[in-house]
Amino acid sequence: MTLKHLKPIAENETEPNITSFARSTFSEWKDAVTKGLKGAPYDKLLVRTNLDGITLDSIFTEENQAVEQTAPSVVRTGRRHGQAEHEHWHIGQVYQCASPASFAAQVKKDLAVGLTEIQLVLEQSSAAGVDVSDQTADVGVSIQTVSDMAEALPAELFNLPIRLYCQSAGIAAASLLHAVCLMHQREPGELAGGLGFSPLSQLAATGTVPCDETALFDETAVLIRWAEEVTPRLRVILIDGTVYQAGGSSASMELACCLSEAAAYLAALSERGISLNAAAGQMVFQLSVGGDFFEDIAKQRALRLLFAGLVKSLGGEVPDDIVIRARTSRFYASVDEPLINTLRGITATMSGALGGARSVHTAPFDESWFGGGAFAQRIARNTQVVLQQECKLGDVADPCGGSYYVEYLTDAIAEAAWRRVGQIDKEGGIVAALKNEYVQAAIAETWNTQQSALNRRKRKMIGVNDFVAFDAADNAYEKVPARDAARAKVDGSVRQSHSIGLSLDDDNVIAVAVNALQSGAIFSEVNHAVKQGEPVKVSPIPKRRLTYAYEQLRRRVRIFAETSLEPCTVGLLRLGTLRQSKPRTDFSRSFFNAAGFRIIESAACDEVSALVDAAVSMTAHVFVLCSTDEAYAESAVLLATELKKKSNAELVLAGRPGALESALRDAGMKHFIYLGSDHYELLSQLVHRICGEGAADENGGVHE
């Protein structure tokens, strides 16, 4: 139908609007959908339960929104009061540059192509006081002196938001920033962004902080007073939810840990004379995105609701500016097919932007093993630029507002997270819950659930356990280029000559530290001088990747092929006609491609003897019989018996064996593949048999 066929509106008629149409109820929608399924079960196909036990239907109407929305809209959306209508989120990147000069050069280069904020990760071994003279730099920029920081952050960069990641080295990092402002003759009040002081998140991630709890919160109070007086646009505290998600946590557990950290800070700072609103205004939350598009949007909205409720319940006012940073998750990243990570990064970045994140970090596709090459960094940055400048995602104040599904999911995640907060509170708070390993156990449980779903292919990941290219493990990106490992050079004699006396009870402790740095003291000395008491230690939350176990299988298969000059081969035996064998042949090809096996196929054949002869000529390590249940009833046992006489290969049946199972096992066919079978377990067994020891994942998916 074209426009000319549309009936014009008569002069005495009113133009139809949304109120002209009758509202359909959930039952009416469901009846219509059920009719279209033609007998297939609605609940099985279109209803699922997520990791938090939240039931997710495929139809959402006004009836699903049972919770009345009383919170101010700014709380859900993250758009702060006074924010310009088209003010976009900030685009930041973490660079694999160890030297300050390399870092500054990279930032200046990228400012011209989309970068809008500086993310500076301070090298943690330097902060810890490790001898830097003859070691390769770890992750982060190696900074020890005021000159190093001035080189990394030249004066012309001070107009941008600067987000440091200093973990527990708060006073040392603040003093460096303050000192470099003085060196550049810039006012510290010009600084905007965040200090990235995250000792509680560091405790969860690394298992330790280099001081006791009292000193930790004392340092936090000192930093907040300094920030309020000297750098009012620089937020001090970073609460990093990605630490928990990296171990495999659900959305509600990630939020619960963040809120429990926030509650610990608020309570401790209140005891130290910091008001609730002042403490809350110094917090920045960092959340992971990339697991589930709508869940990641709802997770950000839920965090704002919960944090506002937490502050209000403690006697404070609802914050009007809750800052969330979004970071695409490493947990779902793939090494063998890294370019697929780019696609995952697009949807993850979109969920961060649509959820109202103040800044977004899109990880480069090669981050999991290299950290970010130049090409991968460019693609990651341009992903955000395109979504901002071409797709205009930042131009809408609340793009998901009013969506029944997103609003339902927001409230459901918030409710689940609040229950978790209560459980952590019963354990004595976040530090106690980490010490007694309640948090670690809860995260391990959801990790196992996710791994099991992937192993049984109830959860599909493209390029990991489904739609895997045969040569995926031979990608050109696995060869890791040398990292810029130059460290900041420190004169050992100068380092030994400084003994700094710093006290957290001194109101001028940061001024004293600044003077020490200006006199030649170094970052690690200042950090050590301010730490007091015995370090807090817990079991760290492992860094995991969901794809790691499958990658280990493919890596083992590849090594076997390289050393034995013989590829691991699976032969698909097509019993019966093409029509009979094709569905299970396609299923089997996808099943075994995931381990990197070479797949060969016989022609479709009705004769058992001819199919056995074809199999022998294939010289495969595994044979898979593919046909219908009716064909199996007639010929499967005979074929398995005859084939076992001529081959030592493993025999697999594509489908459920049913009543034939005992006879097939007696004939030598002991493996059966079907929807819901343990995909990874069978592949692991076969790879172990063919390739020998080391086939299976040996460390539970832990991958730094």
Side-chain angles (χ1 to χ4, degrees), residues 241-271:
T242 67
V243 166
Y244 305 99
Q245 196 275 338
S249 77
S250 66
S252 74
M253 191 63 186
E254 182 181 358
L255 294 190
C257 291
C258 287
L259 289 163
S260 297
E261 282 195 28
Y265 285 119
L266 291 172
L269 292 169
S270 180
E271 293 174 356

Side-chain angles (χ1 to χ4, degrees), residues 36-57:
L37 292 175
K38 298 179 180 179
Y42 176 92
D43 289 344
K44 185 176 181 179
L45 293 177
L46 298 178
V47 180
R48 66 183 177 92
T49 302
N50 72 1
L51 284 171
D52 289 313
I54 299 169
T55 299
L56 301 175
D57 208 312

Side-chain angles (χ1 to χ4, degrees), residues 605-626:
C605 181
D606 289 318
E607 295 288 335
V608 170
S609 59
L611 200 56
V612 170
D613 291 340
V616 172
S617 67
M618 289 181 181
T619 62
H621 297 92
V622 179
F623 288 114
V624 186
L625 184 59
C626 306

